[in-house]
Each structure stands twice: as C-alpha cells, then as structure tokens.
Amino acid sequence: MVLFFYPGAMTYGCTRESCHFRDLHGEFQALGAQPIRHQRRPRRKAEEVLGYALVRLSVALGYERIGAEQFDVRRRIAALGNRRTTFVIDTDLRVLEVIHSEVSMASHADKALEVLRARASAA
C-alpha cells in the first residue's frame, strides 16, 4: 500500500499530487500496490475523478481509530494541515519508505514506484 497525506484537500498541490498518483495507478497495480489518499470523509465525486479509492485510514489498515496523529504528520498549527508525506507499506504493515517533500508533488508517486520496483526485483 502507498499511503499519502497532504496539507489541504482541493488545493493546487493536493490535486496535482493526487492526479499524479492517478496517472500512475496502472504501474502501482502492476506491482501489487494500492495508492490510498488519507481523507477523513471520503467523497464519492473525488473517487470518480481520481479513479481510485479515498478511504479512511482506519478502514484501510483494519484498526478502529488511526490517522495522521499516529503517523506523526499532523502539524502543530492545525490550520496548516498535515505535512506532505507518503508511506510505502508492505503487506506485513512494515513501513518500507517514508517520502517527504512539501514542494515536489510528483516526487511522492515517483519515489514510491522506485521503492516498489526495487522490492519486486529483489524478490
């Protein structure tokens, strides 16, 4: 699973990042990975536009309550949203890579694919 957090929904950067994940969705699927955008209240219209599920993190990981706080991406000033962070998570829920970049939206999906390809070639 590739889980990504972003500062603010429906902003330029978030939309750009989400669309880049959408554009690479086939490559993620070919590697057996599912991109998941963390969203407290997933909206069906956004799912239709992006072409992949927006799920509550607790549902994705099978826990009752889990979110940005548990992944330590919440900013001290709530109005600033979460830090733009992507987690590449293995099937055993082990975090393989943490990707940080506030300004390079495309780097998150690209780096996540690199990690997954390296993992696939090593197996």
Side-chain angles (χ1 to χ4, degrees), residues 36-48:
I36 297 175
R37 184 174 100 172
H38 177 262
Q39 189 160 346
R40 286 188 189 179
R41 289 176 224 97
R43 295 180 177 94
R44 182 166 305 283
K45 185 172 181 171
E47 288 181 357
E48 292 169 6

Side-chain angles (χ1 to χ4, degrees), residues 55-92:
V55 298
R56 286 181 183 234
L57 188 53
S58 56
V59 173
L61 296 178
Y63 293 100
E64 264 187 54
R65 184 178 171 103
I66 190 167
E69 297 84 9
Q70 287 77 17
F71 280 85
D72 195 30
V73 297
R74 178 85 63 205
R75 293 182 198 268
R76 288 184 185 187
I77 300 171
L80 296 177
N82 297 324
R83 287 189 300 276
R84 188 176 309 282
T85 311
T86 299
F87 296 86
V88 181
I89 303 171
D90 206 346
T91 54
D92 62 359

